[in-house]
Amino acid sequence: MPASLQDIQRRITSTKKTGQITGAMQMVSTAKLSQIQRHTTGYQAYVTHVKAVVAHLAQAHVLANAQGELLEVRPISKTGILVVTSDRGLVGSYNSTVLKQTLDLISKKNLTPANTEILAVGGVGADFFKKRGFNVTYEYRGVNDVPQFMEIREIVKAVTAMFASDVFDELTIAYNHFVNRISNEYRVMPMLPITEDTLQIHAKQTGATASFASYEMAPSPEAILKAVLPQYVEAMLYGAILDAKTAEHAASANAMRSATDNAKDVISSLELQFNRARQAAITTEITEITGGMAALD
């Protein structure tokens, strides 16, 4: 076999192996997506109740006179941004979208590395902001494919402790929201301090509503808030990371499907090229044989 044909054959074999790998990765990502969607459905029942209670308290204007470390509104000297990305690549534009949009957010808010604290959930985001001179105050790598509530609770403890210690004066979460299996959208959600305005934004983004504005509370509004608000922060952060992880699995499945389809297209093109080259080689051989026979005659 001529050298050019051997080269084409090697490329076909290599591309077929690559296509098999990306096809397998697509199936794995699709299975993870289905698993996390089932998990999210069960979690929604809990988070809906927590959101409803806090929304009721907000409508009753209980927050206006309440005190607590999660409610403390103070002058903004440091802004915290919690960025959720993946720990690896092969997820299409998933990471680049959230990182680019977060840089745009920082620019629009006139923030700088000097007055911005980055909290990174996911290795890609942590490495990205470190290279650009930002202080990555907190990073968490290795979030499970289907995040567990207790895992996220450790993140919440660290985040709320930093807010209470004045590491930053406000906290915003930036992540990719799962729309459907073929698309996601960048979402920014203010988290701390908890105010009535913050709750209204949460309600608008998540669809949480309250049906009444006042009711009797026991033992006291302060005691209720002390118990409910940490759960609310946990619920919102856990929901955001679940949402982001769902979008990640969808993006990974789409990227691997595109890679597999591209591999098939490349194989078809190479096989056509191989057949044409082989046909040309055979034609040349026949011509040489015919010419040789004619010379003998």
Side-chain angles (χ1 to χ4, degrees):
M1 185 181 293
S4 60
L5 289 178
Q6 290 180 346
D7 181 59
I8 295 173
Q9 187 65 59
R10 282 195 295 269
R11 290 177 62 190
I12 290 174
T13 302
S14 175
T15 307
K16 283 183 177 179
K17 291 180 180 178
T18 301
Q20 291 173 349
I21 293 171
T22 56
M25 293 176 69
Q26 177 192 345
M27 290 190 292
V28 170
S29 295
T30 301
K32 290 178 180 178
L33 176 59
S34 298
Q35 184 181 6
I36 198 171
Q37 284 183 306
R38 290 194 298 270
H39 181 78
T40 302
T41 300
Y43 165 73
Q44 288 302 325
Y46 165 75
V47 75
T48 297
H49 287 297
V50 174
K51 289 177 181 177
V53 171
V54 178
H56 292 158
L57 292 172
Q59 283 195 354
H61 303 292
V62 173
L63 294 180
N65 300 318
Q67 295 181 346
E69 62 181 25
L70 300 179
L71 301 168
E72 182 183 357
V73 179
R74 50 185 183 252
I76 308 300
S77 59
K78 286 274 190 176
T79 296
I81 302 178
L82 194 156
V83 185
V84 184
T85 62
S86 69
D87 286 306
R88 58 179 178 81
L90 302 177
V91 288
S93 61
Y94 173 82
N95 288 319
S96 60
T97 296
V98 70
L99 294 175
K100 180 180 181 298
Q101 295 284 358
T102 301
L103 284 180
D104 290 343
L105 173 67
I106 291 172
S107 177
K108 289 177 182 177
K109 297 182 71 171
N110 296 318
L111 299 176
T112 66
N115 60 13
T116 305
E117 302 290 337
I118 298 296
L119 296 83
V121 175
V124 173
D127 296 338
F128 177 86
F129 284 101
K130 284 179 181 178
K131 290 179 180 178
R132 282 155 181 79
F134 285 88
N135 181 32
V136 179
T137 310
Y138 176 84
E139 61 179 282
Y140 189 97
R141 299 172 186 254
V143 175
N144 289 328
D145 291 326
V146 181
Q148 300 300 310
F149 189 80
M150 293 305 297
E151 178 182 16
I152 305 305
R153 177 169 285 181
E154 295 304 314
I155 300 176
V156 174
K157 287 181 180 179
V159 169
T160 54
M162 284 187 283
F163 177 73
S165 301
D166 298 338
V167 175
F168 47 80
D169 302 301
E170 64 174 357
L171 178 67
T172 299
I173 301 177
Y175 65 100
N176 276 327
H177 164 62
F178 174 76
V179 178
N180 52 49
R181 286 179 176 250
I182 61 174
S183 66
N184 56 68
E185 64 182 20
Y186 179 71
R187 174 172 285 183
V188 175
M189 184 168 62
M191 178 56 65
L192 296 173
I194 298 174
T195 64
E196 292 187 12
D197 291 339
T198 299
L199 296 176
Q200 289 176 3
I201 294 174
H202 292 178
K204 183 177 180 181
Q205 289 183 336
T206 62
T209 59
S211 58
F212 52 89
S214 62
Y215 50 90
E216 295 182 0
M217 289 169 283
S220 68
E222 290 75 16
I224 294 174
L225 284 174
K226 186 176 180 179
V228 172
L229 287 183
Q231 296 181 44
Y232 180 78
V233 175
E234 290 174 354
M236 295 304 298
L237 182 56
Y238 183 52
I241 294 177
L242 268 181
D243 194 2
K245 204 68 179 178
T246 305
E248 178 188 335
H249 293 322
S252 178
N254 290 333
M256 293 303 98
R257 182 177 64 250
S258 296
T260 303
D261 292 342
N262 290 337
K264 291 178 181 178
D265 292 340
V266 171
I267 290 170
S268 297
S269 177
L270 288 173
E271 286 178 341
L272 179 60
Q273 184 179 346
F274 178 85
N275 291 333
R276 286 177 176 173
R278 186 176 182 183
Q279 184 178 11
I282 292 173
T283 301
T284 300
E285 291 177 1
I286 292 175
T287 301
E288 291 174 351
I289 293 172
T290 302
M293 292 178 64
L296 291 174
D297 293 340

